[in-house]
Amino acid sequence: KNLKSSIYPSNVTNSLVTLDLKESFNFVRLVDIQGHEFLRKTLEGESGTVKLNLPLLSEGMYIVQLVGRQSVQQKIYVTR
């Protein structure tokens, strides 16, 4: 059984990312490669599958970070 939280898909075309939370996190944030933050959402008390609507972004690579006692991050590619 996979006990690690995950973020998918890695290739985003519809501004929707799914967080599969196996543990508790304080918040999720979306940053670009330079570290500019585009989104921050509190996740306290959330578990299981959480849908995250992304703001309108330019095409390119971004990093979704789950931040808590442990952190998980996943690179995503936004395409139109």
Side-chain angles (χ1 to χ4, degrees):
K1 188 176 176 189
N2 183 2
L3 294 176
K4 191 163 165 35
S5 296
S6 58
I7 301 162
Y8 59 90
S10 57
N11 201 356
V12 179
T13 56
N14 61 358
S15 298
L16 189 68
V17 171
T18 301
L19 311 176
D20 186 12
L21 305 178
K22 306 286 194 204
E23 57 203 282
S24 63
F25 291 95
N26 298 331
F27 60 90
V28 59
R29 64 191 293 249
L30 175 74
V31 296
D32 66 11
I33 300 308
Q34 286 80 35
H36 300 118
E37 188 172 270
F38 290 89
L39 173 79
R40 179 184 289 248
K41 179 178 187 260
T42 299
L43 290 176
E44 293 186 47
E46 302 224 30
S47 62
T49 302
V50 175
K51 302 279 188 199
L52 186 65
N53 285 303
L54 302 181
L56 195 58
L57 299 166
S58 301
E59 286 194 13
M61 190 186 331
Y62 296 85
I63 299 169
V64 178
Q65 298 174 322
L66 295 171
V67 180
R69 203 175 36 151
Q70 311 230 314
S71 291
V72 174
Q73 63 180 30
Q74 171 70 46
K75 287 184 179 141
I76 61 168
Y77 300 91
V78 173
T79 56
R80 299 264 163 252

